[in-house]
């Protein structure tokens, strides 16, 4: 299965819907299309080492899409699936595990 292709399709579909966050209406979550851990400069990186390989700003509006909660979870599953075996496997797995911890602590 081509997880990267499915991920790209999910992101493209969400982008085409031109979603906006509002106090009334559907709930959306902000998702970084290219994860922050893949960028050289990443304020979330507390180790001080350059772990990423991408130049630029991970918070650039072109790198952000609004997803439903279900789409957001699926996006992180897909990211993990296609990053297994790369240097980003641990970071992608950690990011996915946050979903489980948040869900566990909200119930």
């Amino acid at each position: 299965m081509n997880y990267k292709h499915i991920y790209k399709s999910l992101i493209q579909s969400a982008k085409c819907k031109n979603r906006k966050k509002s106090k009334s209406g559907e709930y959306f979550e902000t998702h970084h299309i290219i994860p922050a851990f893949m960028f050289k400069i990443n304020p979330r990186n507390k180790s001080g080492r350059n772990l990423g390989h991408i130049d630029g700003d991970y918070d650039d509006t072109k790198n952000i899409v609004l997803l439903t909660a279900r789409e957001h979870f699926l996006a992180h599953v897909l990211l993990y699936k296609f990053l297994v075996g790369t240097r980003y496997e641990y970071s992608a797995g950690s990011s996915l595990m946050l979903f489980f911890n948040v869900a566990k602590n909200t119930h």
Side-chain angles (χ1 to χ4, degrees):
M1 190 168 288
N2 190 336
Y3 298 113
K4 191 173 192 175
H5 176 74
I6 297 168
Y7 177 78
K8 286 181 175 183
S9 295
L10 172 71
I11 298 303
Q12 190 57 40
S13 173
K15 277 181 155 183
C16 288
K17 293 178 181 170
N18 237 358
R19 296 171 169 167
K20 304 273 186 250
K21 280 192 176 186
S22 68
K23 292 188 182 193
S24 62
E26 195 171 1
Y27 169 79
F28 296 114
E29 297 177 353
T30 302
H31 175 70
H32 289 88
I33 300 165
I34 300 172
F37 57 76
M38 296 180 107
F39 285 83
K40 289 179 183 175
I41 298 173
N42 174 1
R44 295 179 182 179
N45 177 6
K46 305 300 180 206
S47 73
R49 298 181 320 217
N50 258 352
L51 301 176
H53 72 283
I54 299 173
D55 289 315
D57 179 11
Y58 76 95
D59 260 341
D60 187 297
T61 56
K62 293 177 188 163
N63 191 40
I64 293 176
V65 66
L66 294 177
L67 302 176
T68 65
R70 183 172 190 258
E71 288 170 338
H72 198 193
F73 175 74
L74 180 59
H76 279 274
V77 170
L78 292 167
L79 276 169
Y80 176 74
K81 292 274 194 179
F82 76 76
L83 290 173
V84 167
T86 71
R87 70 186 196 183
Y88 298 115
E89 179 178 350
Y90 177 81
S91 296
S94 296
S95 162
L96 179 57
M97 289 308 297
L98 284 173
F99 277 94
F100 293 108
N101 289 333
V102 168
K104 182 179 79 174
N105 291 328
T106 59
H107 290 16

